[in-house]
Amino acid sequence: MTSTPTFTAPDAAFVEDFRVMSQFGATENGGVDRQAATAADGEQRRWLTGLLEARGFTVKFDRAGNQWGLFEAVSGAPFVVVGSHMDSQPTAGRYDGAFGVLAAAHAAFRLVEKWAGGAASGKPKFNIAVVNWFNEEGSRFKPSMMGSSVYTGKLALETALNTTDTQGITVREALDGIGCRGDYDGPAASYCAEIHIEQGPSMEHDGITIGLVQSSWAANKYEFVVHGEQAHTGSTVIADRKDALLGAAMLVVAARELADRFPGVLHTSVGELTVYPNSPVVVPSRVNLLLDLRSADESVLAEADALLHQRIPAIERAANISVERNHSHSWPVTPYQTEGVELAAKVAADLGLSSKQVMTLAGHDSINMKDLVPTVMLFVPSVDGISHNEHEYTTDADIVAGLAMLTEVVNRLCNGVLED
Amino acid sequence: MTSTPTFTAPDAAFVEDFRVMSQFGATENGGVDRQAATAADGEQRRWLTGLLEARGFTVKFDRAGNQWGLFEAVSGAPFVVVGSHMDSQPTAGRYDGAFGVLAAAHAAFRLVEKWAGGAASGKPKFNIAVVNWFNEEGSRFKPSMMGSSVYTGKLALETALNTTDTQGITVREALDGIGCRGDYDGPAASYCAEIHIEQGPSMEHDGITIGLVQSSWAANKYEFVVHGEQAHTGSTVIADRKDALLGAAMLVVAARELADRFPGVLHTSVGELTVYPNSPVVVPSRVNLLLDLRSADESVLAEADALLHQRIPAIERAANISVERNHSHSWPVTPYQTEGVELAAKVAADLGLSSKQVMTLAGHDSINMKDLVPTVMLFVPSVDGISHNEHEYTTDADIVAGLAMLTEVVNRLCNGVLED
């Protein structure tokens, strides 16, 4: 995890900034805890403001808490938006979206420096906007990808601002608390680029440095509420119990059984499950849980979804409870623009970096952005595929290669390479 | 639920005090929420202090937060301790332990009034102490029966005071917050009596007014910690997952399967289960859960326990996790003193109240007290056996009959009926 001494000065500066950045919300085990609009998130945002302003960027917060670093090389021209998110899961890794935001900032610094070189370097057609999207993770406030959803018109601003965390604190209050709710509407975008770690083992396995993301997996996400009835765990006879936790446990097991039925092509999970009243001697009356099904194959997803819903009545009978489907959120397999994938492949070849097309199983802000403007999504490898874990790791050589890749993609986008 | 107009004035006063008492921490659905050392618990304790002091009782709080109402009829003599607990589960019923504390207070009032009648009524051999035990429920602070465990020497005072709730608040701080941590050591006890609702349907089913509790069910209680590994729910392949929640769900299902294997004679439950980090896109790395096995038959309990522990390695393999048994707490079938059961049977017959011997499946403070002094435990019926639920209900006629029963049992204990 030490920097190799062969890095150029700008690359070494990037690695050093990454080290400094990883101190915000640092955990004892080498990870970070920077949930959206917490103190650690706020401190890191102020640090990013300083970094951007020192290079001549204008920093603005929009109404949904997205942080923008703007540089106008061509007065009045629209922007190439480049960035990711700095918020994290609890006890998460240092890379995730934070690497993407810092790489975006350094890519922009390099381009602005080049443009300052004068006529010889050519003037770009588009301006550049570095973005740190608000609340991509969705751990404190749901849904995930909140800031980019508001920017792209998929989520109403008021709905986002009125969302509460488990303590009843609204997004509005939390953003005000860290001084990050602005009155900006965000820049006019023409293109978008994002770089992220892969969060899976395939690129490392194949020895590939750059992933050219060509589409995202389809997903069906459900919030189920299991309704039982509160009773004494000691004295209530089993036949009379309506145990919401038993029903919920059966759903968790059923989700895994589905994944086992479609090995390798279906991912299922229950990441969040909350029991009420959650007391040692009370049969739970209510459990809320979030259950996801994901696949690259929409027909597999549809079949698995149907099997899950067929299973629910049997669980209701077995546990003497009722299952309510409270909320759902689905998306199909969605491609990134082909011209963006082709551009990225050409840049990688020109830079001598190995690349391959990949799909993303995880959600990213660029999935929202690609529905607004042509968007290039890039991956660098994750050692052992570890993600959302304090031991998440990408080598310095790979983050430096990723920065070079992102810089050149954004350079060409700013120069209008996709204009024809 | 209306008082019948045939009650005597003292009985009507008791029913009215019960109504007033049920307003502390009242919930919209007719229940109460008075977890230990919360504001509602504190307010109710101050109200009880006022009630006791108005009748000439001296009220003291001991070092573990137990509230004592003392009346010395015979200077220097030891005490008959009578009471229960006023704390509740979240969204619990109005009866539970609160009925037992109020009945204890009113029984004591009646005896003190009788003793004040002079020589004709005879002077008792023992004094009387009404007790409101601290934190019987164990929902906010674990373990349950905390106050009586300290009083009976089963739990160290410092251990109890240093126990924290989920917010990190200690028992010491919480008791200080409601002004209920004293420097009293508690009275010297010679006998104990407690009355409680049955929390099950058997007495109502048989048409019995008074339950003579002759023993408690045996129980094995475990805290299991399921250890997995945090990972991204979308991108991590199923084979690589170490999903702590899947392992926990399998334990919940396995517990119920055990109960189904021993129908009617084994009660199993998981009432509390906490997921970490509990975020929608993170495979849980840790789940803590409390799993109980209870039976009136110790051989059934031992067999079920062995089956549970045999099952764990298979769950560890299937979910790719490890299960740690962090804490356990067991008790055998333990009898109340035979002489106490016989005394209660005689009192019921003398008062013309129907009675039968019952076992208690739930824990009670008297289970601790019976290991210190001869203890009489009484039940009144629960309509539909509902307990730890806002719809818990016992008729006014039954609580009034229970009060008469408790008064006469305590009267005879104070008179030394068990001295020979």
Side-chain angles (χ1 to χ4, degrees):
Chain A
M1 295 175 72
T2 54
S3 314
T4 66
T6 57
F7 286 145
T8 62
D11 287 344
F14 171 66
V15 171
E16 172 59 14
D17 276 350
F18 184 80
R19 190 192 63 75
V20 171
M21 179 180 74
S22 304
Q23 300 307 307
F24 294 98
T27 61
E28 283 181 11
N29 296 318
V32 296
D33 181 354
R34 285 189 309 245
Q35 292 188 72
T38 56
D41 188 26
E43 286 159 21
Q44 188 174 43
R45 285 165 153 243
R46 281 190 289 282
W47 173 82
L48 180 63
T49 293
L51 197 76
L52 289 162
E53 288 180 345
R55 297 296 197 115
F57 283 64
T58 301
V59 176
K60 294 183 181 179
F61 291 94
D62 70 20
R63 298 177 198 279
N66 299 309
Q67 181 177 19
W68 298 93
L70 306 160
F71 192 92
E72 280 206 56
V74 189
S75 183
F79 287 77
V80 173
V81 171
V82 55
S84 187
H85 65 95
M86 282 181 159
D87 73 305
S88 85
Q89 295 287 331
T91 56
R94 287 174 291 154
Y95 295 84
D96 205 295
F99 155 64
V101 176
L102 191 67
H106 275 257
F109 299 160
R110 290 176 186 195
L111 295 178
V112 166
E113 199 165 278
K114 188 171 75 87
W115 297 335
S121 313
K123 203 172 176 182
K125 289 188 179 170
F126 298 100
N127 292 313
I128 191 162
V130 175
V131 65
N132 174 19
W133 297 110
F134 175 66
N135 186 29
E136 193 270 351
E137 294 291 358
S139 59
R140 181 177 176 193
F141 299 105
K142 291 170 190 58
S144 57
M145 305 191 283
M146 181 178 275
S148 59
S149 293
V150 173
Y151 177 77
T152 56
K154 298 179 174 200
L155 178 66
L157 174 65
E158 283 303 305
T159 304
L161 293 178
N162 292 332
T163 301
T164 53
D165 66 10
T166 56
Q167 308 296 309
I169 299 168
T170 62
V171 166
R172 180 184 282 105
E173 291 163 344
L175 280 173
D176 286 344
I178 59 167
C180 291
R181 190 164 66 94
D183 56 4
Y184 183 49
D185 287 318
S190 282
Y191 298 98
C192 179
E194 179 173 1
I195 194 164
H196 202 281
I197 60 165
E198 185 190 16
Q199 305 178 283
S202 99
M203 292 168 58
E204 186 194 34
H205 179 266
D206 293 350
I208 298 291
T209 303
I210 301 295
L212 314 166
V213 184
Q214 48 96 342
S215 66
S216 61
W217 277 35
N220 291 353
K221 296 185 166 196
Y222 298 110
E223 181 185 346
F224 288 113
V225 188
V226 183
H227 297 280
E229 194 169 295
Q230 210 171 302
H232 194 292
T233 55
S235 55
T236 311
V237 299
I238 296 289
D240 287 347
R241 296 189 188 200
K242 299 177 178 179
D243 186 337
L245 180 54
L246 177 64
M250 288 174 164
L251 275 172
V252 172
V253 173
R256 174 58 68 93
E257 285 169 354
L258 278 178
D260 292 341
R261 188 155 168 173
F262 299 95
V265 296
L266 179 75
H267 284 189
T268 63
S269 64
V270 177
E272 187 171 311
L273 181 147
T274 307
V275 181
Y276 184 83
N278 212 31
S279 191
V281 288
V282 182
V283 175
S285 56
R286 192 179 73 239
V287 176
N288 291 56
L289 64 91
L290 299 173
L291 192 156
D292 299 353
L293 308 174
R294 306 187 198 222
S295 180
D297 183 334
E298 290 180 7
S299 66
V300 165
L301 187 67
E303 191 180 342
D305 198 276
L307 287 168
L308 174 69
H309 283 86
Q310 284 165 26
R311 183 95 179 78
I312 289 175
I315 291 174
E316 291 182 314
R317 282 190 302 274
N320 198 19
I321 47 84
S322 66
V323 176
E324 178 191 0
R325 209 179 81 181
N326 199 27
H327 189 79
S328 66
H329 186 201
S330 298
W331 57 81
V333 170
T334 49
Y336 284 81
Q337 287 82 3
T338 312
E339 63 268 32
V341 178
E342 288 169 355
L343 165 65
K346 188 163 187 319
V347 169
D350 290 350
L351 296 180
L353 296 170
S354 58
S355 73
K356 70 167 186 175
Q357 290 196 11
V358 292
M359 292 181 79
T360 176
L361 290 80
H364 295 292
D365 295 304
S366 70
I367 292 178
N368 282 331
M369 286 299 288
K370 74 176 163 38
D371 296 338
L372 191 70
V373 293
T375 295
V376 177
M377 183 73 198
L378 304 169
F379 278 169
V380 289
S382 300
V383 172
D384 293 334
I386 292 169
S387 171
H388 284 183
N389 181 302
E390 291 169 296
H391 303 297
E392 182 183 270
Y393 180 54
T394 294
T395 66
D396 285 352
D398 282 339
I399 63 172
V400 163
L403 168 57
M405 176 74 196
L406 183 67
T407 305
E408 186 53 22
V409 165
V410 174
N411 182 38
R412 296 188 193 184
L413 288 173
C414 285
N415 287 339
V417 69
L418 295 187
E419 282 298 276
D420 303 331
Chain B
M1 293 173 76
T2 53
S3 311
T4 65
T6 56
F7 286 145
T8 63
D11 286 344
F14 172 66
V15 170
E16 172 60 12
D17 275 350
F18 185 81
R19 191 191 63 74
V20 171
M21 179 179 74
S22 303
Q23 300 308 307
F24 294 97
T27 60
E28 283 181 11
N29 297 319
V32 296
D33 181 355
R34 286 188 307 246
Q35 292 189 74
T38 55
D41 188 25
E43 286 159 20
Q44 187 172 45
R45 285 164 153 244
R46 279 190 291 283
W47 173 82
L48 179 64
T49 293
L51 197 75
L52 290 161
E53 288 181 346
R55 296 297 197 114
F57 284 64
T58 302
V59 176
K60 295 183 180 180
F61 291 93
D62 70 20
R63 298 177 198 279
N66 299 309
Q67 181 176 19
W68 297 93
L70 306 160
F71 192 92
E72 280 207 56
V74 189
S75 183
F79 287 77
V80 173
V81 171
V82 55
S84 188
H85 65 94
M86 282 183 158
D87 73 305
S88 85
Q89 294 288 331
T91 56
R94 287 174 291 153
Y95 294 83
D96 204 297
F99 156 65
V101 176
L102 191 67
H106 274 257
F109 298 162
R110 291 177 184 193
L111 294 178
V112 166
E113 199 165 280
K114 187 170 77 87
W115 296 335
S121 312
K123 204 171 176 183
K125 289 187 179 171
F126 298 100
N127 293 313
I128 192 162
V130 175
V131 65
N132 173 19
W133 296 109
F134 175 66
N135 186 30
E136 193 269 351
E137 293 290 359
S139 58
R140 180 177 177 195
F141 299 106
K142 291 172 189 59
S144 58
M145 304 190 282
M146 181 177 274
S148 59
S149 293
V150 172
Y151 177 77
T152 56
K154 298 179 174 201
L155 178 68
L157 174 64
E158 283 302 306
T159 305
L161 293 177
N162 292 331
T163 301
T164 52
D165 67 10
T166 56
Q167 308 297 310
I169 298 169
T170 62
V171 166
R172 179 183 284 104
E173 291 162 345
L175 281 173
D176 286 344
I178 59 166
C180 290
R181 189 164 66 95
D183 57 4
Y184 182 49
D185 287 320
S190 282
Y191 297 98
C192 179
E194 178 173 1
I195 194 163
H196 203 282
I197 60 166
E198 185 189 16
Q199 306 179 281
S202 100
M203 291 169 57
E204 186 194 35
H205 179 266
D206 294 350
I208 299 292
T209 304
I210 301 294
L212 314 167
V213 184
Q214 49 97 342
S215 66
S216 60
W217 276 36
N220 291 353
K221 297 185 168 198
Y222 298 111
E223 181 187 347
F224 288 112
V225 188
V226 183
H227 297 281
E229 195 169 293
Q230 211 173 301
H232 193 295
T233 54
S235 56
T236 311
V237 299
I238 296 289
D240 287 347
R241 296 189 188 199
K242 299 176 177 177
D243 186 338
L245 179 54
L246 177 64
M250 288 173 164
L251 276 171
V252 172
V253 172
R256 173 59 68 93
E257 286 169 354
L258 278 177
D260 292 339
R261 189 155 167 171
F262 300 95
V265 297
L266 179 74
H267 284 189
T268 64
S269 63
V270 176
E272 186 171 312
L273 180 147
T274 307
V275 181
Y276 183 83
N278 212 33
S279 190
V281 289
V282 182
V283 175
S285 57
R286 193 180 72 239
V287 176
N288 291 55
L289 63 92
L290 299 174
L291 191 156
D292 299 354
L293 308 173
R294 307 188 198 220
S295 180
D297 182 335
E298 290 180 7
S299 67
V300 165
L301 186 67
E303 192 180 342
D305 198 276
L307 288 168
L308 174 70
H309 284 86
Q310 284 165 24
R311 183 95 179 77
I312 288 175
I315 290 173
E316 291 183 313
R317 282 190 301 275
N320 196 20
I321 48 83
S322 66
V323 177
E324 179 192 358
R325 209 180 80 181
N326 199 28
H327 188 80
S328 65
H329 186 201
S330 297
W331 57 81
V333 171
T334 49
Y336 284 81
Q337 285 82 5
T338 312
E339 62 270 32
V341 178
E342 288 169 354
L343 166 63
K346 187 162 189 321
V347 169
D350 290 349
L351 296 180
L353 297 170
S354 58
S355 73
K356 70 167 186 174
Q357 290 197 9
V358 292
M359 293 182 78
T360 176
L361 289 82
H364 295 291
D365 294 305
S366 70
I367 292 178
N368 281 332
M369 286 300 288
K370 75 176 164 35
D371 296 340
L372 191 70
V373 294
T375 294
V376 178
M377 182 74 198
L378 305 170
F379 279 169
V380 289
S382 301
V383 172
D384 292 334
I386 292 170
S387 171
H388 283 183
N389 181 303
E390 291 168 298
H391 303 296
E392 184 183 270
Y393 179 55
T394 294
T395 66
D396 285 351
D398 282 340
I399 64 173
V400 163
L403 169 56
M405 176 74 195
L406 183 68
T407 304
E408 186 53 22
V409 165
V410 174
N411 182 38
R412 296 188 193 184
L413 289 173
C414 285
N415 287 339
V417 69
L418 295 187
E419 283 298 277
D420 301 330

